[in-house]
Amino acid sequence: MKKNDSNIKKAIKYLNNNECIAIPTETVYGLAGNAYSDKAVSRIYKLKKRPRGNPLITHYYNINNLKKDCEFDNTFIKLYKKFCPGPITFVLKLKKKSRVSKIITNNSNSVAVRFPSHPLTRKLLKKINYPLAAPSANISTSISPVSRQDVVDEFGPKLKFVLDGGYSKIGLESTIINLIGKPHILRLGGINSKLIYKLINPLENKNKKKIKIKVPGTSKLHYSPGIPVRLNAKKNYQNEAYILIKKRKKLDKNYFYISKTNNLKEAAKNLYKTLRIIKKNGYKKIAIEKIPNINIGEAINDRILRASKK
Ligand code: AMP
Ligand code: MG
């Protein structure tokens, strides 16, 4: 416990100096910097090699801290009460007097915000008086990191500090919902879209128009392990790493289980970790067994589909 406290102190020191550090969240690790500082935010883009046009998610401790920067309505409050802190990101309208760096939002009047639930990062957010901009802590287009070691593998000594919070519990990015105009999901993720839509009052939103927003994280090539990925594979070919979700009778050194019992939550948690292991082992190709397209399986399928694009 003491170690965690001294690491949080260290993290705050870096952040106060406009440095970026990696932080643990329940979805994936984030590359974090002071969201009110152009200098800190520029460093995130540079380190990640992220195109400037791709906006960042800003992380807050709670709704009170958000009030200064964003406008929100009843739909937001309902979703916030049900799912936050947790793996859901909201696109909201910025207030005119908001202090969020314009670099984060690519000069637009909307911002994506999230309230992560990882206890260590919550402790950190509570102690600072600014929100944290934090995209996933990986080089642009590659696989998101789910442990301290993954982050170190991505950035090496270029990144000065990683707050170690163990393995990410969910292992896939947050669900993003646009609440400007008629609410709609922009990216599938940690919270199933059906649960979200169930809570949204259709009458309240009846006359609102769907406002189109471009989400670069949903572009075709993303979450890429850098080698070809074949989906819905019934078997694997020689030397092809085979990702499985159900236990097979046969033994094969090329089998990699993300679950042995068809457990989708477990599969989500193990997916990115397994893709990294396969790459480290020098495989040149990956086959993936069919993943049921229900619950978090929808988000898994979304990611592996994009990982399979050339
Ligand atoms: P990541 O970099 O992996 O954390 O992903 C962040 C995702 O949030 C990307 O897909 C961004 O395009 C999306 N995003 C961030 N800010 C906004 C915004 N203001 N409007 C729409 N999408 C956003
Ligand atoms: Mg990312």
Side-chain angles (χ1 to χ4, degrees):
M1 210 58 222
K2 272 217 169 110
K3 181 126 200 286
N4 279 345
D5 286 343
S6 75
N7 280 338
I8 287 180
K9 262 195 189 155
K10 234 187 202 173
I12 293 175
K13 219 170 159 186
Y14 281 114
L15 292 168
N16 285 345
N17 277 328
N18 293 321
E19 300 275 2
C20 41
I21 60 165
I23 55 165
T25 88
E26 70 281 16
T27 58
V28 301
Y29 272 66
L31 187 61
N34 179 350
Y36 293 158
S37 153
D38 287 348
K39 198 171 171 185
V41 172
S42 300
R43 282 182 165 153
I44 296 176
Y45 278 92
K46 197 168 166 211
L47 203 55
K48 239 185 104 76
K49 300 192 180 118
R50 180 164 172 125
R52 277 291 178 112
N54 189 349
L56 309 180
I57 297 177
T58 302
H59 296 64
Y60 288 85
Y61 178 66
N62 63 18
I63 195 171
N64 277 333
N65 300 353
L66 180 81
K67 274 181 192 154
K68 294 170 274 180
D69 293 324
C70 296
E71 286 173 12
F72 48 78
D73 60 8
N74 279 337
T75 306
F76 169 78
I77 292 169
K78 228 189 271 173
L79 294 170
Y80 175 84
K81 280 188 178 156
K82 174 88 180 167
F83 297 117
C84 296
I88 181 166
T89 296
F90 308 93
V91 175
L92 300 173
K93 240 192 198 157
L94 272 174
K95 280 191 172 164
K96 283 221 170 71
K97 56 173 196 206
S98 153
R99 290 174 60 201
V100 173
S101 161
K102 294 264 183 288
I103 303 171
I104 288 181
T105 61
N106 194 24
N107 268 317
S108 83
N109 57 2
S110 73
V111 64
V113 303
R114 184 163 110 72
F115 310 86
S117 69
H118 193 293
L120 216 52
T121 288
R122 274 187 67 72
K123 235 178 170 178
L124 169 65
L125 283 167
K126 196 175 176 186
K127 286 197 165 140
I128 52 182
N129 55 7
Y130 44 85
L132 293 176
S136 53
N138 54 278
I139 307 285
S140 209
T141 77
S142 107
I143 310 166
S144 299
V146 292
S147 70
R148 192 195 81 89
Q149 189 56 49
D150 292 352
V151 179
V152 172
D153 289 348
E154 286 287 319
F155 297 109
K158 275 191 190 158
L159 183 63
K160 293 193 179 130
F161 186 67
V162 184
L163 185 60
D164 190 354
Y167 269 100
S168 296
K169 271 197 174 143
I170 294 173
L172 282 186
E173 298 78 2
S174 60
T175 305
I176 305 182
I177 181 163
N178 182 9
L179 293 181
I180 303 174
K182 195 182 171 94
H184 60 281
I185 307 258
L186 297 172
R187 175 178 78 182
L188 297 169
I191 291 179
N192 187 242
S193 49
K194 285 199 187 81
L195 291 179
I196 295 175
Y197 281 127
K198 224 165 99 179
L199 214 75
I200 293 174
N201 185 349
L203 293 176
E204 200 177 304
N205 296 296
K206 201 176 125 202
N207 297 319
K208 288 185 182 167
K209 260 202 185 146
K210 210 166 162 178
I211 308 278
K212 271 204 174 162
I213 283 189
K214 214 174 160 253
V215 188
T218 56
S219 62
K220 274 188 182 158
L221 179 76
H222 209 109
Y223 316 105
S224 165
I227 52 177
V229 174
R230 193 164 64 81
L231 303 182
N232 302 324
K234 292 207 170 104
K235 61 172 196 165
N236 62 323
Y237 297 112
Q238 223 187 355
N239 299 329
E240 200 177 31
Y242 194 18
I243 296 183
L244 294 160
I245 188 167
K246 288 187 296 283
K247 192 159 167 39
R248 301 265 168 133
K249 281 193 193 118
K250 210 179 98 183
L251 290 174
D252 187 321
K253 71 171 175 31
N254 299 327
Y255 284 0
F256 291 86
Y257 288 101
I258 47 175
S259 168
K260 286 186 172 169
T261 57
N262 213 9
N263 180 325
L264 289 168
K265 271 193 179 164
E266 187 186 20
K269 186 177 174 191
N270 289 325
L271 178 69
Y272 289 155
K273 183 163 100 178
T274 306
L275 288 172
R276 278 180 190 269
I277 292 171
I278 289 170
K279 255 200 96 176
K280 271 191 184 167
N281 285 352
Y283 283 90
K284 298 281 180 278
K285 280 180 182 175
I286 302 175
I288 308 184
E289 179 177 36
K290 191 177 170 79
I291 310 285
N293 204 36
I294 46 164
N295 302 323
I296 200 163
E298 279 183 356
I300 300 177
N301 279 316
D302 170 75
R303 301 304 188 273
I304 59 178
L305 178 65
R306 272 186 256 165
S308 75
K309 299 280 179 203
K310 290 182 187 97

Short mmCIF file of all heavy atoms in Angstrom, two decimals, residues 146 167-172 258 264-274 300:
data_model
loop_
_atom_site.label_atom_id
_atom_site.label_comp_id
_atom_site.label_asym_id
_atom_site.label_seq_id
_atom_site.Cartn_x
_atom_site.Cartn_y
_atom_site.Cartn_z
N VAL A 146 -2.04 -3.85 -21.85
CA VAL A 146 -2.86 -4.22 -20.70
C VAL A 146 -2.02 -4.50 -19.45
O VAL A 146 -2.54 -4.98 -18.45
CB VAL A 146 -3.77 -5.44 -21.01
CG1 VAL A 146 -4.83 -5.08 -22.03
CG2 VAL A 146 -2.96 -6.64 -21.50
N TYR A 167 -2.63 -6.20 -14.23
CA TYR A 167 -3.30 -6.40 -15.52
C TYR A 167 -4.63 -5.65 -15.57
O TYR A 167 -5.36 -5.61 -14.57
CB TYR A 167 -3.57 -7.89 -15.76
CG TYR A 167 -2.43 -8.55 -16.50
CD1 TYR A 167 -1.47 -9.30 -15.83
CD2 TYR A 167 -2.29 -8.38 -17.87
CE1 TYR A 167 -0.41 -9.87 -16.50
CE2 TYR A 167 -1.23 -8.94 -18.56
CZ TYR A 167 -0.30 -9.69 -17.87
OH TYR A 167 0.74 -10.24 -18.55
N SER A 168 -4.96 -5.06 -16.71
CA SER A 168 -6.27 -4.40 -16.88
C SER A 168 -7.37 -5.46 -16.80
O SER A 168 -7.26 -6.50 -17.46
CB SER A 168 -6.34 -3.70 -18.23
OG SER A 168 -5.40 -2.67 -18.28
N LYS A 169 -8.39 -5.17 -16.00
CA LYS A 169 -9.44 -6.18 -15.74
C LYS A 169 -10.29 -6.49 -16.97
O LYS A 169 -10.68 -7.62 -17.19
CB LYS A 169 -10.38 -5.66 -14.65
CG LYS A 169 -9.91 -6.03 -13.27
CD LYS A 169 -11.04 -5.87 -12.28
CE LYS A 169 -10.63 -6.39 -10.93
NZ LYS A 169 -11.16 -5.59 -9.83
N ILE A 170 -10.59 -5.47 -17.77
CA ILE A 170 -11.47 -5.68 -18.93
C ILE A 170 -10.66 -6.03 -20.16
O ILE A 170 -10.98 -6.95 -20.90
CB ILE A 170 -12.37 -4.46 -19.15
CG1 ILE A 170 -13.32 -4.36 -17.96
CG2 ILE A 170 -13.16 -4.57 -20.46
CD1 ILE A 170 -14.18 -3.15 -17.92
N GLY A 171 -9.59 -5.30 -20.40
CA GLY A 171 -8.67 -5.67 -21.48
C GLY A 171 -9.06 -5.17 -22.86
O GLY A 171 -8.34 -5.37 -23.83
N LEU A 172 -10.21 -4.51 -22.99
CA LEU A 172 -10.61 -3.87 -24.26
C LEU A 172 -10.99 -2.42 -23.95
O LEU A 172 -11.38 -2.10 -22.83
CB LEU A 172 -11.86 -4.54 -24.84
CG LEU A 172 -11.72 -5.87 -25.56
CD1 LEU A 172 -13.07 -6.25 -26.16
CD2 LEU A 172 -10.67 -5.82 -26.67
N ILE A 258 -7.68 -17.98 -25.30
CA ILE A 258 -8.06 -16.76 -24.59
C ILE A 258 -9.15 -17.11 -23.56
O ILE A 258 -9.41 -16.37 -22.63
CB ILE A 258 -8.50 -15.61 -25.54
CG1 ILE A 258 -9.49 -16.08 -26.61
CG2 ILE A 258 -7.28 -14.98 -26.19
CD1 ILE A 258 -10.02 -14.94 -27.48
N LEU A 264 -16.67 -15.09 -22.54
CA LEU A 264 -16.33 -13.92 -23.36
C LEU A 264 -15.59 -12.85 -22.57
O LEU A 264 -14.71 -12.17 -23.10
CB LEU A 264 -17.59 -13.34 -23.99
CG LEU A 264 -18.19 -14.21 -25.10
CD1 LEU A 264 -19.58 -13.73 -25.48
CD2 LEU A 264 -17.28 -14.21 -26.33
N LYS A 265 -15.94 -12.69 -21.29
CA LYS A 265 -15.25 -11.69 -20.47
C LYS A 265 -13.78 -12.06 -20.33
O LYS A 265 -12.89 -11.21 -20.43
CB LYS A 265 -15.89 -11.61 -19.08
CG LYS A 265 -17.02 -10.64 -19.02
CD LYS A 265 -17.39 -10.36 -17.58
CE LYS A 265 -18.51 -9.35 -17.55
NZ LYS A 265 -19.17 -9.31 -16.25
N GLU A 266 -13.55 -13.34 -20.08
CA GLU A 266 -12.18 -13.83 -19.95
C GLU A 266 -11.44 -13.66 -21.29
O GLU A 266 -10.28 -13.26 -21.32
CB GLU A 266 -12.25 -15.31 -19.55
CG GLU A 266 -10.91 -15.91 -19.20
CD GLU A 266 -11.02 -17.42 -18.96
OE1 GLU A 266 -11.99 -18.06 -19.42
OE2 GLU A 266 -10.11 -17.95 -18.32
N ALA A 267 -12.14 -13.94 -22.38
CA ALA A 267 -11.53 -13.83 -23.71
C ALA A 267 -11.13 -12.39 -23.99
O ALA A 267 -10.04 -12.12 -24.52
CB ALA A 267 -12.52 -14.32 -24.77
N ALA A 268 -11.99 -11.44 -23.62
CA ALA A 268 -11.68 -10.02 -23.83
C ALA A 268 -10.44 -9.64 -23.04
O ALA A 268 -9.53 -8.98 -23.55
CB ALA A 268 -12.86 -9.15 -23.39
N LYS A 269 -10.39 -10.11 -21.81
CA LYS A 269 -9.25 -9.78 -20.94
C LYS A 269 -7.94 -10.32 -21.51
O LYS A 269 -6.89 -9.69 -21.37
CB LYS A 269 -9.51 -10.34 -19.54
CG LYS A 269 -8.47 -9.93 -18.57
CD LYS A 269 -8.72 -10.39 -17.18
CE LYS A 269 -7.49 -10.00 -16.36
NZ LYS A 269 -7.47 -10.60 -15.06
N ASN A 270 -8.00 -11.48 -22.14
CA ASN A 270 -6.76 -12.13 -22.59
C ASN A 270 -6.37 -11.82 -24.04
O ASN A 270 -5.28 -12.18 -24.48
CB ASN A 270 -6.90 -13.65 -22.45
CG ASN A 270 -6.87 -14.05 -20.99
OD1 ASN A 270 -6.16 -13.44 -20.19
ND2 ASN A 270 -7.63 -15.08 -20.64
N LEU A 271 -7.27 -11.16 -24.79
CA LEU A 271 -7.02 -11.01 -26.23
C LEU A 271 -5.72 -10.27 -26.56
O LEU A 271 -4.85 -10.81 -27.25
CB LEU A 271 -8.21 -10.30 -26.90
CG LEU A 271 -8.02 -10.04 -28.39
CD1 LEU A 271 -8.04 -11.35 -29.18
CD2 LEU A 271 -9.08 -9.09 -28.94
N TYR A 272 -5.57 -9.03 -26.08
CA TYR A 272 -4.40 -8.23 -26.46
C TYR A 272 -3.11 -8.86 -25.91
O TYR A 272 -2.08 -8.84 -26.58
CB TYR A 272 -4.53 -6.80 -25.95
CG TYR A 272 -5.58 -5.98 -26.68
CD1 TYR A 272 -6.19 -4.89 -26.07
CD2 TYR A 272 -5.93 -6.26 -27.99
CE1 TYR A 272 -7.14 -4.12 -26.73
CE2 TYR A 272 -6.88 -5.50 -28.66
CZ TYR A 272 -7.47 -4.42 -28.02
OH TYR A 272 -8.41 -3.66 -28.68
N LYS A 273 -3.22 -9.40 -24.68
CA LYS A 273 -2.08 -10.06 -24.06
C LYS A 273 -1.60 -11.21 -24.96
O LYS A 273 -0.41 -11.36 -25.25
CB LYS A 273 -2.54 -10.60 -22.70
CG LYS A 273 -1.48 -11.25 -21.89
CD LYS A 273 -1.93 -11.37 -20.44
CE LYS A 273 -2.43 -12.74 -20.08
NZ LYS A 273 -2.81 -12.86 -18.67
N THR A 274 -2.55 -11.99 -25.46
CA THR A 274 -2.23 -13.16 -26.30
C THR A 274 -1.66 -12.72 -27.65
O THR A 274 -0.69 -13.33 -28.13
CB THR A 274 -3.51 -14.01 -26.48
OG1 THR A 274 -4.03 -14.31 -25.20
CG2 THR A 274 -3.21 -15.29 -27.23
N ILE A 300 -15.13 -7.64 -29.04
CA ILE A 300 -13.98 -8.48 -29.45
C ILE A 300 -13.98 -8.60 -30.98
O ILE A 300 -12.96 -8.40 -31.63
CB ILE A 300 -14.03 -9.89 -28.82
CG1 ILE A 300 -14.00 -9.81 -27.30
CG2 ILE A 300 -12.89 -10.77 -29.34
CD1 ILE A 300 -14.12 -11.17 -26.59
#
